[in-house]
Amino acid sequence: MNPEATETLGQRVKRLRLSIMIDFNGSEKPMTHEQLAERSNCCKKTIARIEADKEMPRFDLISRLAAALNVPITYLEETLGRSKKG
């Protein structure tokens, strides 16, 4: 079974965030909570809570997260039925 098929929203957001490499003076590093928060116009504490499945974001934040992670919103929405909180 494909592990993506059972991911919660938080697990998917975290996997995507960590797969985005950002160049810092010639060395690549995964995107941080703070960087994703800036790109999605929320606070880094919210990103951490979403990734821990302790917070279910509203649709407008899911939309901004999808844009910041460069994925279709449907890719995040399909996890909603599997999320622990909701």
Side-chain angles (χ1 to χ4, degrees), residues 4-52:
E4 288 182 32
T6 60
E7 283 180 323
T8 64
L9 176 64
Q11 291 166 335
R12 184 158 293 178
V13 167
K14 183 176 184 175
R15 179 177 55 77
L16 290 167
R17 177 181 61 79
L18 293 175
S19 72
I20 296 175
M21 303 305 281
I22 298 178
D23 189 13
F24 292 101
N25 300 324
S27 64
E28 291 186 342
K29 305 267 186 192
M31 184 187 289
T32 64
H33 285 138
E34 186 172 336
Q35 290 164 329
L36 181 54
E38 287 175 12
R39 291 178 181 203
S40 58
N41 194 29
C42 69
C43 68
K44 65 182 179 179
K45 190 174 190 176
T46 298
I47 300 297
R49 290 183 55 76
I50 290 168
E51 288 185 0

